[in-house]
Amino acid sequence: MKSLVISLFAEDKPGIVDALAKVVKQHQGNWLSSRFAHMAGQFAGFVEVNIAQDQAEPLLEALNALPGLTVHTADPVTAQQPPMTTAYFSIMGNDKSGIVSEITSILQQFNVNILEFDSSCNSAPNWGSEMFTAQCKVAIPDGLDIDDVQQALESIANDLMVDISFKKTS
């Protein structure tokens, strides 16, 4: 058996996931995990499938034949990950250019890996201005004091005019 990570991109319309699932099933693939999103009329996602070695190439050919779908594949990385702590934080404030850049710059300084990052801009109910919100899941390397990361993020919150809420887990 071979494990594949498939990324896909298309103009959003009903039936994309169904078409993908049918092709995986037709090639006796096992759907292991997935994540999909709709944004600005576009659809994007990732799927990990387990498939017999002799079915991998026919699966890819069938996926590439689906109309309007851009497909890329990669083999999963199986390198052992170093021990780490998982942390979550959220950001909320008036939207302005550079918020994501400033946050990710701090994370990079500490060699913190972003595992998930979901953000959006929505109209504030009472003001009509755009509000930026984000939820982030990060991996803090062992040996790094998570409080240092939190303090660094909080130190830029005033300049960015955002609130940052932090939740530590393991």
Side-chain angles (χ1 to χ4, degrees):
M1 295 299 276
K2 176 181 178 82
S3 191
L4 284 176
V5 175
I6 303 164
S7 67
L8 51 120
F9 187 80
E11 187 173 317
D12 193 32
K13 63 181 179 183
I16 295 172
V17 176
D18 182 51
L20 178 64
K22 286 178 179 169
V23 170
V24 169
K25 182 180 176 187
Q26 289 169 352
H27 292 86
Q28 294 82 45
N30 183 23
W31 189 293
L32 299 176
S33 62
S34 60
R35 179 155 305 170
F36 300 110
H38 168 94
M39 185 177 299
Q42 299 296 318
F43 175 85
F46 296 95
V47 178
E48 182 181 2
V49 298
N50 209 8
I51 190 157
Q53 192 73 29
D54 65 337
Q55 287 294 311
E57 193 59 38
L59 170 69
L60 299 178
E61 290 172 8
L63 291 173
N64 283 311
L66 292 172
L69 197 62
T70 302
V71 177
H72 297 279
T73 61
D75 292 327
V77 177
T78 57
Q80 185 158 354
Q81 297 296 320
M84 62 183 135
T85 300
T86 303
Y88 297 85
F89 65 91
S90 60
I91 307 159
M92 184 169 60
N94 290 326
D95 185 39
K96 71 179 208 173
S97 180
I99 294 173
V100 174
S101 176
E102 293 290 330
I103 297 292
T104 58
S105 180
I106 294 289
L107 296 175
Q108 177 59 35
Q109 289 173 18
F110 286 97
N111 200 31
V112 171
N113 191 23
I114 297 172
L115 302 175
E116 296 176 16
F117 189 89
D118 295 312
S119 66
S120 64
C121 287
N122 296 302
S123 180
N126 296 329
W127 296 284
S129 62
E130 292 289 304
M131 291 293 292
F132 175 83
T133 60
Q135 291 74 44
C136 192
K137 177 181 176 183
V138 295
I140 310 289
D142 268 7
L144 176 62
D145 188 345
I146 197 168
D147 291 332
D148 292 341
V149 177
Q150 181 175 357
Q151 184 177 22
L153 288 170
E154 289 172 350
S155 74
I156 63 169
N158 285 338
D159 291 340
L160 294 174
M161 294 185 291
V162 297
D163 291 324
I164 299 177
S165 302
F166 218 83
K167 178 183 175 188
K168 304 171 198 175
T169 63
S170 311

